Amino acid sequence: MAFRGLFVGIDRYQSPEIRDLSCAARDAAALEAMFADTLGGQTVLLTDEEASLARIEAELERLFNCEAGDTVIMAFSGHGSETHELIVHDTGYNDIPATSLPLDRLQEWFSRIPARRVILFLDCCFSGGLGAKVLQVPAVPRSLASTEVRLQNGDGRLIFTASGVSEEAWEFSSHGHGLLTYYLLEALRGPADILEAGRLSVYRMLEYVTARVKAAAQQIGKSQNPAMRGQIDGGFCSPL
């Protein structure tokens, strides 16, 4: 069994109409370093101009060649769109459907990865106002209920999102990370209250992250409730 990882973070966008972020590239770099140091294996880090649509698609397709016993972890930090896409470095504001990564396509690729366990962290959002990690698009948004459908997964697959589908996700500029990533990194360092026989349960980790993100958002007068979709049969423990 081997570990494979793909980590994408985008602060700088090619289109001047897309607002830059301040912590997304650092989110991806920190998560890649943490998982690579902990689990070894093969990891790919794509930030800013490296995170083009073609490059991200190519790296996703490489994951189709992993083994059935492998564990795959992916993370994306950047803008989502109101029309259910992940916004990449070279997304064109006036042609979002053709130049971004729709959740439909991501879901299809996600299901085609043969690894027994696949976990995806999305530190972005698909709804919200100024300052949130969402791109407000010129087209009329589709129902957010359909975002929920696109993020559902079955056994052996987990998707952990920074917020509910109708909520905003926020950067924690004073700490240099998005709220989700900041507390995910804290959890991965293994606080004693979530360790089980020296190992870190994914489910305990996500409970820890959820509670702290909700509390931190409330402190700045916001509502942000991370959500988990899918399940890993029998649980999964990440060694520290």
Side-chain angles (χ1 to χ4, degrees):
M1 184 181 77
F3 165 66
R4 304 278 295 273
L6 174 59
F7 302 88
V8 179
I10 309 167
D11 286 326
R12 304 289 174 260
Y13 291 87
Q14 186 171 287
S15 172
E17 289 89 1
I18 300 176
R19 178 178 57 86
D20 287 343
L21 295 169
S22 59
C23 304
R26 186 174 175 180
D27 285 347
L31 286 172
E32 188 271 340
M34 177 69 76
F35 279 108
D37 289 347
T38 302
L39 300 178
Q42 301 176 28
T43 62
V44 173
L45 172 64
L46 303 177
T47 59
D48 293 339
E49 65 272 5
E50 299 170 326
S52 66
L53 180 59
R55 180 70 189 280
I56 293 170
E57 289 179 336
E59 295 300 338
L60 284 167
E61 289 177 358
R62 289 183 202 277
L63 293 174
F64 298 164
N65 299 319
C66 68
E67 300 295 330
D70 290 350
T71 293
V72 172
I73 295 177
M74 297 182 286
F76 176 88
S77 184
H79 283 302
S81 77
E82 296 176 307
T83 46
H84 314 154
E85 294 95 2
L86 301 183
I87 303 303
V88 300
H89 172 73
D90 55 347
T91 291
Y93 184 73
N94 294 315
D95 194 14
I96 291 171
T99 58
S100 60
L101 182 56
L103 290 183
D104 281 343
R105 195 185 314 162
L106 181 65
Q107 170 89 344
E108 177 189 349
W109 277 330
F110 198 62
S111 65
R112 290 174 60 192
I113 296 171
R116 181 173 55 173
R117 299 183 178 104
V118 184
I119 301 173
L120 170 62
F121 298 101
L122 291 178
D123 199 341
C124 62
C125 56
F126 303 99
S127 177
L130 185 65
K133 297 174 76 173
V134 61
L135 177 65
Q136 296 172 324
V137 299
V140 176
R142 291 172 284 181
S143 167
L144 284 168
S146 61
T147 303
E148 189 76 37
V149 172
R150 285 166 172 78
L151 291 172
Q152 294 301 331
N153 279 278
D155 291 350
R157 301 289 186 271
L158 282 179
I159 294 180
F160 197 65
T161 58
S163 59
V165 296
S166 61
E167 293 181 326
E168 299 158 322
W170 298 93
E171 292 192 309
F172 204 175
S173 298
S174 62
H175 291 70
H177 290 294
L179 279 179
L180 174 69
T181 300
Y182 180 79
Y183 288 107
L184 178 58
L185 289 165
E186 186 173 279
L188 288 167
R189 296 186 183 102
D193 57 334
I194 62 172
L195 289 180
E196 297 177 353
R199 291 165 66 84
L200 179 62
S201 162
V202 166
Y203 295 112
R204 291 287 300 277
M205 176 184 74
L206 298 184
E207 288 174 2
Y208 176 95
V209 172
T210 298
R212 279 153 180 78
V213 169
K214 291 170 65 174
Q218 288 172 359
Q219 288 179 355
I220 58 173
K222 307 295 182 181
S223 177
Q224 182 174 335
N225 297 275
M228 182 180 73
R229 299 163 181 87
Q231 63 182 15
I232 292 179
D233 190 28
F236 167 63
C237 286
S238 172
L240 294 173

